Structures are given as structure tokens and as C-alpha cells.
Amino acid sequence: MGDVAKDLTSGTVGGAAQLIVGHPFDTIKVKLQSQPVPLPGQPPKYAGAVDAVKQTLAAEGPRGLYKGMGAPLATVAAFNALLFTVRGQMESFLRSEPGVPLTVNQQVIAGAGAGVAVSFLACPTELIKCRLQAQSALAIDAGSAGVAVKYGGPMDVAKHVLRSEGGARGLFKGLVPTLAREVPGNAAMFGVYEALKQYMAGGTDTSKLGRGSLIVAGGLAGASFWSSVYPTDVVKSVLQVDDYKNPKYKGSMHAFRSILASEGVKGLYKGFGPAMARSIPANAACFLAYEVTRSSLG
């Protein structure tokens, strides 16, 4: 099996592990990010992450935490296969000679290149996911979540956008902040992952590291992704769930300035707790699954 096929297979397995572990956290993150700003004197729909979990379970049951998983599940193979395959090809391009380990700086470049490629797949996928996850949070009446359901599932969202929001272009709403998230985020993640592996291995040969070390490196690498780019994810989410006919935001910078003006810096970190709580176990699972699968393929 060639290197590309190995990366495709290993990336698919890693992505599936990441999604299963992390999706409930992601649902809560998006609900917190997209809830309307409360009127003066009124409390927000969700008091925090724990309250969002309680309300979701009460209104929708455990299935509510996995709402919107159909879209990323359908594309998780393509997304992670593309991420790890482009990163692998970037590694081959940057490597001075076959078999020579890359430096941390080279891994940063490889991660950034992979981030560019996956942005074009992540944007439409996440638009569909965010619409499904956020629709109950966007209900005007907190008690009307059951009535306020607008979409029946991922395909329903895609059909609605294609029909009513400018065709295929509508699926790429939020592409600019997606790129602003994926490029530096993946650069940081793969750079931190390699740096931690080399630190724990005591050198550039990391092939003998145990699974515990891979879990630690993968979890902390995932945390570095979100800690470095989180405000851009908030901007992406609010743009993607914004009303097409009566938009609240004119673009990425307008959304950024509006959030900053109405909610302060705190508004740019809505849902940060669930995002970080998700990133560590989900990315630990992803990198471990990738490394174990890649190793087993030879």
C-alpha cells in the first residue's frame, strides 16, 4: 500500500474516533456561540455549558447532543483523509531526503498547507452542522424549541441553502473565517504535536513512543489548535447561522466588530470551555487512532 493510501486510511480511522468522542462537546459549543444576545435585564438562553447540556437533554434527549453529526459523519472520511494526506505530501516535499524526520518548523508549514486544503471541505460541512445544532438555540421563545425546528436533517439544510441562498455559493458562507481558523490552527496543532513527541522521545526519532505519550501529545496538540484561533471560530459560526434574507452581519470583520462592541472580548470566547473540553480527548483519540492504524499498515 502506497503512502497516500496509508494516509487516507489512517486519517479516516482517526477522524471517526475524533467525531465519536468529540461531537457532544461541539454541539454545546455551537449552541453557546449562536444563542441570541439577551435583551437588557434578561438572562441569556443558556447560563453556561452545564446549563446548555441540561436544557438540551430535557428538550431533545441524549440524541440532541449528537444533532448535526450526519453531515460530519458523511464527510469525516474525506476531511481527515484529506488533512493527513496533504500533510503527508507536504512532508515529502519538505523532507531533505527520504526517511529524514521533519523539524518542528517544517511540521508547522505542513500543517498550514493541509489547513488550506481542508478549509474548502470544512466550510460547507460545518455550515450544515451549525444550522442543525443551533436551530433550537435560535428560537425566540426558549420554550418553543420543538416548534422552531426548521431543518429535518443534513440533506434538508443543503437543499434549502442551494434553493434559497444563492446556490452552491451559499454553502461556502463563512469560508474566510474557516481559512483563518484552519490554516494557523493546523499549523499550531501539527507543530505542537511534533514538538511534544520529540521532547518525550528525547530526539527526532519518535517511532518508539508508547500509546500514552501519543495520547498526551495528541490531546495537547488539539488544545493548541483551539487556544490559538477560537475567536475566528465564533465569527464563522455566527456568519453561518445568520439569516440570509435579513442578515445581521455584512461579513467577517463586521461580525467581529459587532460581537466585540455588544459583548466585549468575552463574546469572542463563547463556548470556549466546551471546545477545550472536547479538543483534548477528541484529538487524543484522533492522533492515537491515526498513528496505530498507520503503524499497522507498515
Side-chain angles (χ1 to χ4, degrees):
M1 187 183 287
D3 287 340
V4 171
K6 291 175 183 177
D7 283 329
L8 285 168
T9 303
S10 303
T12 299
V13 175
Q18 181 185 55
L19 185 64
I20 292 168
V21 172
H23 193 78
F25 295 98
D26 191 62
T27 296
I28 298 305
K29 171 182 74 72
V30 172
K31 283 179 179 285
L32 290 171
Q33 287 177 341
S34 57
Q35 64 179 325
V37 178
L39 295 172
Q42 296 294 316
K45 181 176 176 63
Y46 303 116
V50 174
D51 185 46
V53 171
K54 289 178 180 177
Q55 288 196 42
T56 301
L57 290 174
E60 305 170 62
R63 289 179 62 183
L65 294 172
Y66 283 91
K67 183 172 283 187
M69 195 171 81
L73 187 60
T75 57
V76 67
F79 181 89
N80 283 276
L82 182 62
L83 178 69
F84 282 99
T85 300
V86 173
R87 177 217 180 195
Q89 293 304 298
M90 289 286 292
E91 285 180 334
S92 298
F93 175 75
L94 294 167
R95 191 171 281 122
S96 57
E97 57 184 83
V100 175
L102 264 65
T103 65
V104 172
N105 287 339
Q106 287 174 319
Q107 285 289 358
V108 168
I109 295 170
V116 173
V118 298
S119 293
F120 292 91
L121 184 59
C123 186
T125 301
E126 295 209 3
L127 182 139
I128 292 170
K129 174 180 68 68
C130 287
R131 294 280 179 96
L132 289 169
Q133 290 173 322
Q135 59 184 344
S136 62
L138 294 171
I140 296 174
D141 178 1
S144 67
V147 180
V149 172
K150 183 178 180 180
Y151 306 111
M155 289 305 297
D156 191 32
V157 179
K159 288 176 183 177
H160 174 84
V161 173
L162 289 170
R163 184 176 60 248
S164 308
E165 299 187 23
R169 184 179 177 183
L171 290 172
F172 286 89
K173 185 178 183 179
L175 179 61
V176 171
T178 301
L179 282 161
R181 183 192 71 179
E182 292 295 328
V183 175
N186 279 294
M189 182 173 71
F190 284 111
V192 168
Y193 183 62
E194 187 63 27
L196 288 171
K197 285 203 304 176
Q198 290 187 14
Y199 174 78
M200 289 185 283
T204 56
D205 182 8
T206 61
S207 60
K208 301 292 193 297
L209 285 176
R211 294 185 179 184
S213 296
L214 295 176
I215 288 172
V216 171
L220 292 177
S224 73
F225 181 108
W226 288 109
S227 61
S228 61
V229 298
Y230 194 79
T232 62
D233 185 65
V234 174
V235 171
K236 178 199 71 69
S237 292
V238 298
L239 282 178
Q240 290 185 325
V241 301
D242 199 14
D243 188 82
Y244 177 73
K245 293 181 179 178
N246 299 293
K248 184 177 179 182
Y249 307 110
K250 298 175 183 176
S252 300
M253 288 308 299
H254 183 237
F256 178 83
R257 287 193 295 264
S258 297
I259 294 169
L260 205 56
S262 62
E263 304 174 63
V265 175
K266 179 173 72 171
L268 293 169
Y269 285 88
K270 288 189 296 186
F272 184 69
M276 292 301 289
R278 167 193 175 276
S279 68
I280 295 175
N283 284 285
C286 177
F287 277 105
L288 177 63
Y290 171 83
E291 296 281 13
V292 169
T293 305
R294 190 71 168 77
S295 177
S296 70
L297 294 174

